[in-house]
Amino acid sequence: MQTKRMSRREFLTLVGAASGAALLAACQPKVAPTATPKPTATPPPKPTATPLPKPTATPPPAAPVEVSFGYEPGGNIQAYYDVLFARAAEGLPGITIEPVVYPTYDDQLHLLPTQFAAGTAPAVIRWDNAAPWTQYAAEEVILPLNDLLKETAIDLNAFPKALVDGWTIDGKLYAIPMYLQNSAFVYNLDVLEEAGITTLPTSMQEVRQVAKTVKEKTGKSGLVILPNLFHIHQYILAFGGGWNYGRTINSPENVAGLQFLVDMFVEDETASTSQQLGTAWDGEAISLNKAAMSDGGPWYIGFMKAVAPNVRYSLLPIPTNQPGKFFVVTYGGGYSISSSAKDPVAAIKLVEFLSTEAAQEAIITTELGFVPAMTKFLDDYVAKTPEYAPFTESVLSQGRKLDYPPKMAEFETDLLAGFEQLVFRPGTTTVQELLDSLQSKYGQ
Amino acid sequence: MKNHSRRLLRGSARRSFMRRALPQMVARAGAGIRTGLIQFRSPRTRSEWSAGYALLLPALLLLVAWFLYPVAQLFLLSFQTVSKFHFSDRTFVGFANYAYLLKDPAFANSLRIVLVFVLLVVPAQTVLSLLLASVLQSVGRAKVVFRTAFFIPYMTSTVAVTTVFMQLFVAGAPAASAATVLGLPNRTWYADVKLALPFLVLVYVYMYIGLYIVTFVSGLQTIPRELYEAATVDGANAWARFRYVTVPGLRPFVLFVVVAGLIQAIQVFDQAYVITGGHVLGSPAGATATLVIYIYQQAFRLNALGYGSAAAVLLLLIVFLGTWLTRRILREE
Amino acid sequence: MTHHRLVRLVLEVVKYAFLTLFGAIMLAPLLFALYTSLQDPADYLTLVRPNRLTLANYKFVITHAPIAKWYFNTAFVTACTILGAVTVNTMAGYALSRIKFPGRQFIFLVVLAILMVPFQAYLIPLYLIVARLGWLNSYQALIVPFIFNPFLVFFMRQSYETLPQELEDAAAVDGAGRITTFLRIAVPLSLTAITTQAVLSGTWTWNAFMVPVTMTTDRDYYVLTVGLNSLQSQYYTLPTVQMAGVVLLTIPVIVMFVAFQRFIVPSLATTGLR
C-alpha cells in the first residue's frame, strides 16, 4: 500500500492491532509454578489394609452431611487417602467426604488466602505447620479446636508434646497432628569422599571448612540451599537464634546465622542456590552429585531411593556453632478446620476419623514417607526405615519449633528478596540492615 | 459489476482480488453511494441499529460480566486497602497506594527492568523479523516450510518453551557451554544477576518472532512489483531498492510490529515467573522483576491487593503513553 | 553472464543456508525436548545411540496420571470455547464494522482498552465472580470467560473492513435484512478469518494455565497444563518426564496448526493491517 496520511480509523486500527497483540501475549498460556517437590516418598507397592476398629465417639447426626477435605496428592498421598476413603462408609457414618485436591502443595498455599476470602475454603485442611497457619489463626479463618475436641475421643496424649505445642498458640490448638516432620543435615558421602573428606563436621565452622575443601578439590559446590524461609531458618537456629514469632527478628544470633550463610556465598564462594546449580530444589542437586551438603529432612529418604539409589548419603541432626552440639526442628503435618465450614462438628468427626490409630498405622503400610505422629508408631517406622535411626525420640523431643512471625507469607517474601540482594549484589545492604528493617515491619 | 461481485471467489484468487482490486472497488462503491446510485442506508436505519445491537449483544454481555466488572473492581481496589482474607473489609485511602508505589524502590526497579527489556526486545525482534522476512520472501516454494518452522515456537506453551530453555542454559548444558565461545562465563544464565535478563530476552524473542516474520512477509507481498522494476530501471542496486522501495512500503507494518511488540513486551510475565520456579519472584535479586511480576507479587504474595491494583492502573497508563509516543515518533520520521 | 549467474547461485545458497540455520535454531528447543523425553533419566544431557532411547518416560506419565481424562477435558473445553468464540466474536466484529449505530466507536474503544490490562491484575476479582456463581470446578468456568475475546473481535472487525461493501449493498438493494446479509454473504466470505479465529482461540485455550489452576481443585476437571504441572511436584521433577509432558502437550497444537496453516497465515497478516 502506498503511504498515506494516518486517518483516525488507521490510528484506531494500529492501536487496536497493537493491543490485540498484547492480548495475544496475555492469552498465551500462563505460568506453571514449578513447586518444590513436597517432601514425599517413593511410589509404593500396593498397601495392605489393616482392619478398622470401631469408632469410639458418639454417633453423628442421622442425615448425611457433606464435609469438604482439602489436600494435595503428592507422592503416595493419594493412595493413602484412597485407602482411608474406602473405609469411610463404615467408619464415618452419616458423613460423606468431598475431596478438594490441589494440583501441588504450592498451589494449595497460593490458593488458600483467596479461598478464605471467598468463603470457598474446604472445611478440613491438611497441611504442615511450615504453612502460614499462624496468620490464618490470627485472621480467624481457621478455628481453635479445643472446644470441638470434646465432641470426639481424640486423645492428645497419644502425640508427642512438641507436636501438639507446635500447633498451639496461647493455649488454643489449631490442628490435630497427622505426621511428624523434622529437619536434618544431608551429606553426600560420594562427593565428600571425592574431596578426600572422611569425617563428618561437628560444627558449623567445620561445615564451612569442609565446603572450602570440596570446592578446592572437586570444583563442586560445598553447600546447596533452596532459598525459602524454612531452609534459611535452619541456619538461624544453628547459631542459637530464632524468630520467636516476630519478637527477635534482628537478634545478634540471627544476624550471626544469616551472616554465616551469606559469607559462604560471597566470601568463600562455596555455596550455591539450587537455581544456580540448575536444579529445582536442593535434593535434586544432592542426587546429581552437584553439591556436598545441604539442609534437608526425611523427605530425602524416599527421593534418593527412587532417583539415585547408588548415591551414598547420610542424614543427621544439624550442627550448630557449638562443636558437638546438634539440633533438629520438630514440626509436622496436621488437620485444621476452616471457619467457613458449614458444620464444624461434622468436620471434627472427619478429622477424628482421619486420626485414628488405624489411619496412623496406614501411614507406615502405604509407605507414605511420613513419620506417624502417634508416638507408639515411631518404633515401627524406624524399623522399616533404617536411615531414620539417628532421629531418636530424645532428639525429636528436644527439637526446636517453627516460630515464624505472624505475617509469614509477607515476611518470607521480603526476607528472600533481601537475602538475594545480599548474595547476588553484595555491598548494597548488610545483614543487620535487612533484619532491622524486617523487625520494624513484621516484628511485634 | 453486480454480476461480477455476486460470484464468490475462492482461495488465492480471492486473496489476490482482495489485495489488488479492493482499493478501486471501495472507491467506486463510495462514488456510487455519493451519486445516489446505490440507495441503501436511510429507510433502514432503525432496523439497522437493532440488528447491530442484536449481533453485538452476546459479546457485550460477556464483555461486561467477565471483563468490565473485574476491571472496574481493579480501579476501585487501587484506591483502597483490602484485607486479604475478608474482602468486605476495605478502607478508602485515596491516592495513598499510588504515593506508596512512587516511593517503593521495588516498583522503580520493575520500571527500570521493563524499560531495559523493551529497549532490548523491540528493536531486536523488529530488525530480525524484517531481515528474515526479506530473505524468506525471495525464496520460492520452500517458503512455506520455513514459515511453519518459524511460527511453531509461537504456538507452543510459554511454560514448555521456557522450561526447555532453562534446561539448555544450565551451567555446563549445551547452550551455556556454547556461549562460552563468546567469552561468557559458563554459569546458569537464569540464576546469574547479569545474564538473567538477557536470558529472558532470548526466550521471549524466540517465542514471538514468528508472528512478526509472518507479518512482514505479508507486508512485503503488498508492495507492487512495478515499484521495484521502476527502481531497477532507474539504476538502483539491491540496497537502494531496499531503502527506497521496501522500507517506505512497509511503514504501516513496521509501525504495527513496533507498537504491538511494545505492548506485549511491557506485559511480560510468564517467562519471568517460570524462571524462578515460583519461589523468589524477580530472582535473582530483582534482575527479572518485570512490572507484571511486581503486580503479581503485591497481589498474591504480599497480600497487598491495593498496591497491586494501583500498579496495574499505572501499567495501563504506561502502555497508552508508550503506544502514543511510538506512533508519534515513527510517524514523524 | 556466467559471472553474474555464479554470484546469483552463491547468493541463493547463502540465503538457504541462513534460513535453514535459523529454522534449525527455532526448532532446536522442541527437538531437544523430544529427544530428552526419549532418554533414560541416567542419560540426561548426553548424546546416546538410538538403541538407548526409550518410551519409559511416556509410560510413566500415562500410568501415573489420568492423562486420558486430562486430554478429554482439554479437548472438550477447547472445542466449546472455539465454538462460542467464533460465534460471538464474528457477530460482534461484523456489527462493529458494518453497522453504523450510535455508540459504535465507544464500544470499540472500550474493547481495545481491555486489551491493555494484564489479566493477572484482575484474576482475584474474576475468581470471586466464579465462586459466587458456584462455577468452581466446572467446565463453564474454563469456557465462558474466554468466549468473548477483544483481540478476536478486533480481528474480525478488520477482516470485515477489508471486504468490499458492494456485495452487501447489492444484497441490500435486493431487499435482504442486515442479519441475512451477515449470514449469507459476510460469513462465507470471511471463512479464512473465521478459521484463523478458531485456530488462535483453540491454541490459547489449549495452552492456558493460570485460570484453570485457580478455578479447579477437582482432579476430574484438570486440564493438561494443570495436570502435567502437578506431575512435577509429585514425582521429583525428573527432567526426562518433564520433557515428555511438554511433548504430550505440544504435539496436538502443532498438528492442528500444520493442518490449518494454509488458512491462518495469510489471513493473520493482511487483515490486521487495513
Side-chain angles (χ1 to χ4, degrees), chain C residues 242-262:
Chain C
Q242 213 177 7
M243 292 299 133
V246 166
V247 171
L248 287 171
L249 179 65
T250 310
I251 294 290
V253 175
I254 295 185
V255 165
M256 177 176 68
F257 172 66
V258 170
F260 283 103
Q261 81 134 319
R262 285 196 311 129

mmCIF file of all heavy atoms in Angstrom, chain C residues 242-262:
data_model
loop_
_atom_site.group_PDB
_atom_site.id
_atom_site.type_symbol
_atom_site.label_atom_id
_atom_site.label_comp_id
_atom_site.label_asym_id
_atom_site.label_seq_id
_atom_site.Cartn_x
_atom_site.Cartn_y
_atom_site.Cartn_z
ATOM 1 N N GLN C 242 9.506 -34.520 32.659
ATOM 2 C CA GLN C 242 9.022 -33.170 32.375
ATOM 3 C C GLN C 242 8.934 -32.929 30.878
ATOM 4 O O GLN C 242 7.948 -32.384 30.371
ATOM 5 C CB GLN C 242 10.000 -32.189 33.002
ATOM 6 C CG GLN C 242 9.390 -30.925 33.511
ATOM 7 C CD GLN C 242 10.443 -30.067 34.177
ATOM 8 O OE1 GLN C 242 11.629 -30.362 34.133
ATOM 9 N NE2 GLN C 242 10.023 -28.994 34.794
ATOM 10 N N MET C 243 9.981 -33.338 30.172
ATOM 11 C CA MET C 243 10.008 -33.134 28.724
ATOM 12 C C MET C 243 8.956 -33.982 28.027
ATOM 13 O O MET C 243 8.376 -33.552 27.028
ATOM 14 C CB MET C 243 11.397 -33.467 28.165
ATOM 15 C CG MET C 243 12.471 -32.495 28.614
ATOM 16 S SD MET C 243 12.133 -30.820 28.075
ATOM 17 C CE MET C 243 12.420 -29.920 29.579
ATOM 18 N N ALA C 244 8.708 -35.164 28.561
ATOM 19 C CA ALA C 244 7.643 -35.984 27.976
ATOM 20 C C ALA C 244 6.318 -35.246 28.091
ATOM 21 O O ALA C 244 5.502 -35.245 27.162
ATOM 22 C CB ALA C 244 7.579 -37.335 28.671
ATOM 23 N N GLY C 245 6.122 -34.602 29.239
ATOM 24 C CA GLY C 245 4.906 -33.814 29.413
ATOM 25 C C GLY C 245 4.820 -32.689 28.402
ATOM 26 O O GLY C 245 3.763 -32.430 27.817
ATOM 27 N N VAL C 246 5.954 -32.025 28.174
ATOM 28 C CA VAL C 246 5.980 -30.934 27.201
ATOM 29 C C VAL C 246 5.578 -31.442 25.819
ATOM 30 O O VAL C 246 4.775 -30.830 25.112
ATOM 31 C CB VAL C 246 7.388 -30.299 27.154
ATOM 32 C CG1 VAL C 246 7.536 -29.425 25.935
ATOM 33 C CG2 VAL C 246 7.652 -29.503 28.408
ATOM 34 N N VAL C 247 6.128 -32.577 25.451
ATOM 35 C CA VAL C 247 5.815 -33.128 24.124
ATOM 36 C C VAL C 247 4.342 -33.485 24.029
ATOM 37 O O VAL C 247 3.663 -33.153 23.053
ATOM 38 C CB VAL C 247 6.692 -34.366 23.834
ATOM 39 C CG1 VAL C 247 6.228 -35.061 22.576
ATOM 40 C CG2 VAL C 247 8.145 -33.962 23.708
ATOM 41 N N LEU C 248 3.823 -34.142 25.061
ATOM 42 C CA LEU C 248 2.412 -34.532 25.043
ATOM 43 C C LEU C 248 1.496 -33.331 24.930
ATOM 44 O O LEU C 248 0.410 -33.408 24.369
ATOM 45 C CB LEU C 248 2.078 -35.321 26.317
ATOM 46 C CG LEU C 248 2.628 -36.742 26.368
ATOM 47 C CD1 LEU C 248 2.414 -37.332 27.745
ATOM 48 C CD2 LEU C 248 1.947 -37.595 25.317
ATOM 49 N N LEU C 249 1.943 -32.215 25.502
ATOM 50 C CA LEU C 249 1.117 -31.016 25.474
ATOM 51 C C LEU C 249 1.199 -30.320 24.126
ATOM 52 O O LEU C 249 0.216 -29.754 23.645
ATOM 53 C CB LEU C 249 1.593 -30.054 26.576
ATOM 54 C CG LEU C 249 0.864 -28.731 26.689
ATOM 55 C CD1 LEU C 249 -0.581 -28.968 27.084
ATOM 56 C CD2 LEU C 249 1.540 -27.843 27.705
ATOM 57 N N THR C 250 2.370 -30.381 23.515
ATOM 58 C CA THR C 250 2.616 -29.541 22.340
ATOM 59 C C THR C 250 2.238 -30.193 21.021
ATOM 60 O O THR C 250 1.799 -29.505 20.099
ATOM 61 C CB THR C 250 4.113 -29.164 22.298
ATOM 62 O OG1 THR C 250 4.478 -28.660 23.570
ATOM 63 C CG2 THR C 250 4.374 -28.130 21.242
ATOM 64 N N ILE C 251 2.415 -31.477 20.920
ATOM 65 C CA ILE C 251 2.195 -32.132 19.623
ATOM 66 C C ILE C 251 0.810 -31.850 19.029
ATOM 67 O O ILE C 251 0.712 -31.498 17.851
ATOM 68 C CB ILE C 251 2.440 -33.656 19.740
ATOM 69 C CG1 ILE C 251 3.909 -33.931 20.047
ATOM 70 C CG2 ILE C 251 2.023 -34.359 18.483
ATOM 71 C CD1 ILE C 251 4.830 -33.618 18.893
ATOM 72 N N PRO C 252 -0.272 -31.969 19.804
ATOM 73 C CA PRO C 252 -1.580 -31.719 19.185
ATOM 74 C C PRO C 252 -1.694 -30.324 18.580
ATOM 75 O O PRO C 252 -2.287 -30.156 17.508
ATOM 76 C CB PRO C 252 -2.556 -31.877 20.354
ATOM 77 C CG PRO C 252 -1.871 -32.713 21.344
ATOM 78 C CD PRO C 252 -0.426 -32.388 21.214
ATOM 79 N N VAL C 253 -1.115 -29.325 19.269
ATOM 80 C CA VAL C 253 -1.213 -27.965 18.753
ATOM 81 C C VAL C 253 -0.470 -27.836 17.443
ATOM 82 O O VAL C 253 -0.960 -27.233 16.481
ATOM 83 C CB VAL C 253 -0.635 -26.963 19.777
ATOM 84 C CG1 VAL C 253 -0.620 -25.574 19.186
ATOM 85 C CG2 VAL C 253 -1.455 -26.988 21.035
ATOM 86 N N ILE C 254 0.711 -28.404 17.387
ATOM 87 C CA ILE C 254 1.496 -28.304 16.161
ATOM 88 C C ILE C 254 0.773 -29.006 15.021
ATOM 89 O O ILE C 254 0.719 -28.497 13.894
ATOM 90 C CB ILE C 254 2.902 -28.897 16.381
ATOM 91 C CG1 ILE C 254 3.643 -28.047 17.399
ATOM 92 C CG2 ILE C 254 3.651 -28.971 15.072
ATOM 93 C CD1 ILE C 254 5.058 -28.455 17.605
ATOM 94 N N VAL C 255 0.222 -30.170 15.334
ATOM 95 C CA VAL C 255 -0.507 -30.903 14.296
ATOM 96 C C VAL C 255 -1.651 -30.050 13.767
ATOM 97 O O VAL C 255 -1.861 -29.916 12.562
ATOM 98 C CB VAL C 255 -1.038 -32.234 14.866
ATOM 99 C CG1 VAL C 255 -2.089 -32.819 13.955
ATOM 100 C CG2 VAL C 255 0.109 -33.202 15.078
ATOM 101 N N MET C 256 -2.415 -29.436 14.697
ATOM 102 C CA MET C 256 -3.551 -28.625 14.288
ATOM 103 C C MET C 256 -3.087 -27.461 13.423
ATOM 104 O O MET C 256 -3.696 -27.144 12.403
ATOM 105 C CB MET C 256 -4.271 -28.096 15.545
ATOM 106 C CG MET C 256 -5.429 -27.178 15.192
ATOM 107 S SD MET C 256 -6.381 -26.617 16.606
ATOM 108 C CE MET C 256 -5.228 -25.566 17.442
ATOM 109 N N PHE C 257 -1.990 -26.865 13.834
ATOM 110 C CA PHE C 257 -1.515 -25.719 13.079
ATOM 111 C C PHE C 257 -1.073 -26.116 11.687
ATOM 112 O O PHE C 257 -1.419 -25.466 10.697
ATOM 113 C CB PHE C 257 -0.371 -25.028 13.815
ATOM 114 C CG PHE C 257 0.271 -23.968 12.997
ATOM 115 C CD1 PHE C 257 -0.433 -22.830 12.649
ATOM 116 C CD2 PHE C 257 1.565 -24.113 12.536
ATOM 117 C CE1 PHE C 257 0.147 -21.848 11.878
ATOM 118 C CE2 PHE C 257 2.148 -23.122 11.768
ATOM 119 C CZ PHE C 257 1.445 -21.998 11.430
ATOM 120 N N VAL C 258 -0.276 -27.169 11.620
ATOM 121 C CA VAL C 258 0.216 -27.580 10.307
ATOM 122 C C VAL C 258 -0.943 -27.898 9.377
ATOM 123 O O VAL C 258 -0.922 -27.586 8.182
ATOM 124 C CB VAL C 258 1.166 -28.793 10.451
ATOM 125 C CG1 VAL C 258 1.477 -29.383 9.097
ATOM 126 C CG2 VAL C 258 2.440 -28.387 11.146
ATOM 127 N N ALA C 259 -1.985 -28.481 9.946
ATOM 128 C CA ALA C 259 -3.138 -28.822 9.113
ATOM 129 C C ALA C 259 -3.849 -27.583 8.600
ATOM 130 O O ALA C 259 -4.353 -27.553 7.486
ATOM 131 C CB ALA C 259 -4.102 -29.690 9.910
ATOM 132 N N PHE C 260 -3.897 -26.539 9.435
ATOM 133 C CA PHE C 260 -4.688 -25.370 9.066
ATOM 134 C C PHE C 260 -3.866 -24.210 8.558
ATOM 135 O O PHE C 260 -4.414 -23.150 8.300
ATOM 136 C CB PHE C 260 -5.493 -24.890 10.281
ATOM 137 C CG PHE C 260 -6.685 -25.738 10.554
ATOM 138 C CD1 PHE C 260 -6.678 -26.663 11.578
ATOM 139 C CD2 PHE C 260 -7.810 -25.632 9.765
ATOM 140 C CE1 PHE C 260 -7.781 -27.459 11.821
ATOM 141 C CE2 PHE C 260 -8.913 -26.424 10.000
ATOM 142 C CZ PHE C 260 -8.900 -27.341 11.032
ATOM 143 N N GLN C 261 -2.572 -24.392 8.431
ATOM 144 C CA GLN C 261 -1.751 -23.207 8.240
ATOM 145 C C GLN C 261 -1.989 -22.511 6.916
ATOM 146 O O GLN C 261 -1.757 -21.331 6.781
ATOM 147 C CB GLN C 261 -0.273 -23.558 8.420
ATOM 148 C CG GLN C 261 0.337 -24.185 7.208
ATOM 149 C CD GLN C 261 1.651 -23.543 6.940
ATOM 150 O OE1 GLN C 261 1.789 -22.337 7.066
ATOM 151 N NE2 GLN C 261 2.631 -24.336 6.574
ATOM 152 N N ARG C 262 -2.526 -23.230 5.969
ATOM 153 C CA ARG C 262 -2.834 -22.553 4.706
ATOM 154 C C ARG C 262 -3.788 -21.390 4.925
ATOM 155 O O ARG C 262 -3.730 -20.386 4.228
ATOM 156 C CB ARG C 262 -3.487 -23.543 3.752
ATOM 157 C CG ARG C 262 -2.523 -24.529 3.134
ATOM 158 C CD ARG C 262 -3.132 -25.216 1.938
ATOM 159 N NE ARG C 262 -4.461 -25.749 2.219
ATOM 160 C CZ ARG C 262 -5.526 -25.509 1.453
ATOM 161 N NH1 ARG C 262 -5.419 -24.764 0.375
ATOM 162 N NH2 ARG C 262 -6.697 -26.017 1.751
#
